Amino acid sequence: MRNLKWIGVALGMLAGASAARADGPKELWHYYAAGSEKAGIEALIAFANKQNPDNQIVGKVIPGNAVEMRRQLQTAFMGNTPPAAYQSSMAFELKTFVDSGKLHDLSETWAKIKGDEIFPEGVQRVVKVDGKPYGIPYDLSLINNIFYSKAIFEKAGLQPPKDYEGLVAVCDKLRAAGVEPLGNAGGPFWSLYNFYAPLVSSVGTEGYYKIASGELGFDSPEFRKALELYRDTMVKCYAKNWSGKTWTQTADDVVNGNTGMFMMGAWAAAYFKQAGFAPVEKFDVFPAPGTEGKAIFQMDAFAVPEGPVDTLETAEKFVISAASAEGQATFAVPKGSLAPNVTVDPSIYDAVGAKFAKQLADASKANAVLPNLFFLLPTKVGTELGVQLEKFAIDPSDANESELISTLESLRQEAQAEGAYLKW
């Protein structure tokens, strides 16, 4: 009896500890570990917690990117220990967990925030699966612009190029002046994002979506043309040893006057500002050749796993705060991104941010807003596309081009046979 008494006490203590944990702050998983990204997410969490004092959220950094987040979530779902909410990319990155029944349908939350009114149609399309919203957009960045150092350009007597011939000419002049022409960074995304400009130039907007839906093959003449354009222009311009650098290190090369241009997402603008590299005065941007009048965007959303009622309540209150005009501005200003919520006052942006906002608005009117292809593709196809593009950018040999095409085309055909492709 005495042993049973102590077992009962121990179980009571464990139950109390479990309840204390349940009543405490809930976790938001994200991969914003440094710089302007870290500043943005911390500002947003503080804003949401101030609005919801009884439903606190704490951030937890998952080092890496969307791919690593997916791996960590898969482990967490297996152990029934997912966070209250997490940073997700769009389209297939959401669908993967929707199909396995792991995500909470946000239809009621969407109605409360009037999602169909505050978010553009193109944005809504990539956070809904089978017509139901599973993500709340909060972080949109254009990825088809090239940043450049005004001092380097002025010293060399250069103007932003309008086409690929002009880009190569600028690169040649910069290299002759002892400056690395075009920065890049290692990893499965950055070379891929750069490749979108040659891709759209070669296949057009319609062809871009045909690749996304699996209708246009990786062995098609159009895709081969895009690879060759990328090889003969951007890859030719890349700085030495770029593959060993992070994007922030390459941004530092621009700040320090070692590199003239850097094609990177809009978030680089905030990083430059934090480094004392002022927009318009020290740096500016221009659309990558072939993307004038277009907006290719990367966007993150907050997704909410299924869970206990109290956890879902906290997650819902957090995403409602994050979707509000004030919440989106709180994040966008330090992060250097665009707010997907169209009710956000455009005066929050600096001169370069205002350029991005206008670019997005104009492209929206022209129906020329293109989501990041990586996330429109079935996961295994998009992942391999990023891997193969980086390998090709490092060594654009005929052998690597052939391997890229054959590997991706094989995956495309497999995904088609499995019915994995969708039209977003």
Side-chain angles (χ1 to χ4, degrees):
M1 291 294 293
R2 187 175 182 182
N3 287 340
L4 289 174
K5 175 182 177 181
W6 283 111
I7 290 172
V9 170
L11 289 173
M13 291 175 65
L14 287 171
S18 178
R21 285 195 297 270
D23 292 339
K26 305 300 190 290
E27 286 187 342
L28 168 71
W29 285 9
H30 63 86
Y31 41 86
Y32 294 141
S36 58
E37 296 177 328
K38 183 173 182 285
I41 196 65
E42 289 181 348
L44 178 57
I45 291 172
F47 168 77
N49 284 343
K50 186 176 180 180
Q51 285 202 324
N52 307 296
D54 296 329
N55 296 89
Q56 299 284 286
I57 282 280
V58 294
K60 178 180 178 179
V61 176
I62 303 298
N65 49 43
V67 176
E68 185 56 35
M69 177 67 78
R70 190 192 317 136
R71 295 192 187 110
Q72 292 292 331
L73 285 166
Q74 287 167 340
T75 300
F77 283 131
M78 288 177 63
N80 198 30
T81 57
Y86 68 92
Q87 174 186 0
S88 175
S89 199
M90 50 195 173
F92 266 103
E93 205 63 38
L94 287 168
K95 187 178 185 299
T96 296
F97 292 118
V98 172
D99 288 349
S100 58
K102 301 300 185 183
L103 293 191
H104 186 65
D105 178 358
L106 296 172
S107 293
E108 290 185 10
T109 305
W110 191 265
K112 290 178 182 179
I113 64 174
K114 299 182 178 179
D116 286 343
E117 298 177 23
I118 66 174
F119 297 124
E121 190 275 333
V123 167
Q124 296 179 41
R125 184 187 306 164
V126 289
V127 294
K128 292 181 178 180
V129 178
D130 296 328
K132 297 179 180 180
Y134 286 91
I136 302 297
Y138 72 97
D139 178 10
L140 189 150
S141 291
L142 303 185
I143 56 176
N144 62 301
N145 291 296
I146 298 178
F147 293 83
Y148 69 99
S149 166
K150 295 196 74 172
I152 289 175
F153 267 54
E154 288 170 5
K155 184 177 180 180
L158 298 172
Q159 294 294 323
K162 300 290 186 182
D163 52 29
Y164 284 104
E165 183 179 358
L167 177 67
V168 172
V170 166
C171 290
D172 289 343
K173 290 180 180 178
L174 289 174
R175 190 162 274 144
V179 176
E180 292 293 348
L182 181 64
N184 192 13
F189 292 113
W190 313 131
S191 296
L192 176 60
Y193 291 4
N194 284 196
F195 173 67
Y196 292 158
L199 181 63
V200 171
S201 299
S202 301
V203 305
T205 299
E206 184 179 350
Y208 187 91
Y209 278 111
K210 283 186 175 181
I211 291 174
S213 64
E215 297 172 77
L216 183 62
F218 293 107
D219 60 350
S220 65
E222 296 92 335
F223 189 79
R224 290 177 185 273
K225 179 182 176 183
L227 285 175
E228 291 163 5
L229 180 59
Y230 178 55
R231 177 195 64 203
D232 296 340
T233 57
M234 290 182 167
V235 173
K236 179 181 178 182
C237 289
Y238 283 153
K240 295 177 182 177
N241 304 318
W242 61 264
S243 62
K245 296 184 177 183
T246 64
W247 77 263
T248 56
Q249 289 173 326
T250 300
D252 290 338
D253 288 339
V254 177
V255 172
N256 296 329
N258 299 319
T259 299
M261 298 178 289
F262 185 25
M263 186 172 177
M264 180 49 59
W267 53 84
Y271 184 85
F272 284 140
K273 286 177 67 177
Q274 285 191 336
F277 207 58
V280 179
E281 178 189 350
K282 299 290 186 179
F283 76 90
D284 211 334
V285 296
F286 61 91
T291 69
E292 183 76 36
K294 297 180 176 64
I296 305 175
F297 74 90
Q298 162 60 23
M299 187 182 74
D300 286 340
F302 290 124
V304 176
E306 291 288 10
V309 173
D310 64 325
T311 301
L312 289 174
E313 179 186 359
T314 297
E316 180 186 43
K317 289 186 175 182
F318 171 76
V319 299
I320 287 174
S321 294
S324 69
E326 188 177 355
Q328 299 235 323
T330 297
F331 176 84
V333 171
K335 168 66 161 52
S337 58
L338 296 177
N341 184 334
V342 297
T343 68
V344 172
D345 188 341
S347 68
I348 68 168
Y349 303 115
D350 60 26
V352 168
K355 280 188 176 183
F356 293 147
K358 186 177 186 304
Q359 182 181 357
L360 178 62
D362 291 346
S364 297
K365 294 174 185 176
N367 197 28
V369 177
L370 303 175
N372 183 353
L373 179 63
F374 179 92
F375 297 104
L376 300 183
L377 293 166
T379 301
K380 64 181 180 181
V381 180
T383 300
E384 190 62 29
L385 178 60
V387 170
Q388 290 292 330
L389 251 298
E390 183 184 29
K391 183 177 179 181
F392 179 71
I394 293 171
D395 176 15
S397 64
D398 291 344
N400 279 344
E401 179 180 347
S402 295
E403 181 183 347
L404 181 155
I405 290 171
S406 62
T407 300
L408 292 175
E409 181 58 19
S410 177
L411 286 175
R412 182 187 74 88
Q413 293 181 19
E414 288 177 13
Q416 275 191 321
E418 295 167 358
Y421 275 97
L422 289 179
K423 285 190 176 182
W424 295 96

